[in-house]
Amino acid sequence: MVGIGCRTPKAPIPPEQQPLPISTVKIGAFQCDDAIAAQAVRNVFIEILGRNRFVKVTRDGDADVVIEGTITHGVAGSSKDAGPGAASVFGKYVSGVTAVAVRNGEVLTSASWGQVMAKGKEILPPELVARQTANRMVDSLYRKGLKRQ
């Protein structure tokens, strides 16, 4: 049995619609009440984007794209009722990170990721929440002109 098919070739993207290349990215501030969490999240974005050998990542100065963001917190508590040695834990955790990439004053793309707290789920550290968001941001920037490694 012989099968015959037809394939329509993809038309090249016209030059006026191709995204401008991204060769420098500035990682700006992440808004947060906790300065340590804000710095940890920023450092993760620097690390993730710094892996791409085709882009220069900066903390200051001019860049093709500027990434800034917001960190949200949640409050969680748990108690273990085990008689005389009962324990209780209560505290604030990073529930999500949202980042925006801006080029020439216009929003180019955004990415966010948040952890959902459910009974028995582990609270993730800020760096892991930031890593999820940064990976999403990089994936989106590939479609906006960031060259793949």
Side-chain angles (χ1 to χ4, degrees):
M1 186 179 274
V2 176
I4 298 175
C6 179
R7 181 174 168 199
T8 306
K10 289 185 179 180
I13 299 172
E16 65 273 359
Q17 291 181 356
Q18 291 213 5
L20 295 172
I22 298 171
S23 58
T24 56
V25 176
K26 175 182 170 184
I27 309 297
F30 280 80
Q31 301 299 314
C32 182
D33 294 340
D34 182 348
I36 294 171
Q39 189 60 47
V41 168
R42 185 177 189 210
N43 288 344
V44 168
F45 271 76
I46 291 169
E47 172 195 345
I48 297 293
L49 280 156
R51 291 179 183 165
N52 186 320
R53 65 178 185 226
F54 296 114
V55 69
K56 178 182 175 187
V57 180
T58 66
R59 290 176 171 243
D60 301 308
D62 292 333
D64 297 330
V65 172
V66 177
I67 296 175
E68 294 180 333
T70 304
I71 301 167
T72 54
H73 286 97
V75 178
S78 69
S79 61
K80 202 168 203 176
D81 199 11
S88 177
V89 178
F90 184 78
K92 196 163 79 166
Y93 66 96
V94 170
S95 60
V97 174
T98 300
V100 177
V102 177
R103 173 183 258 167
N104 299 326
E106 292 188 27
V107 173
L108 186 62
T109 189
S110 65
S112 63
W113 193 84
Q115 56 180 319
V116 178
M117 293 309 302
K119 187 174 182 172
K121 279 202 107 176
E122 183 180 336
I123 295 175
L124 301 175
E127 293 84 0
L128 289 181
V129 177
R131 189 170 306 285
Q132 294 291 334
T133 308
N135 285 331
R136 285 183 177 197
M137 176 61 76
V138 169
D139 288 345
S140 184
L141 287 174
Y142 285 144
R143 294 184 296 275
K144 302 295 183 179
L146 182 64
K147 198 173 189 182
R148 289 193 185 269
Q149 356 183 28

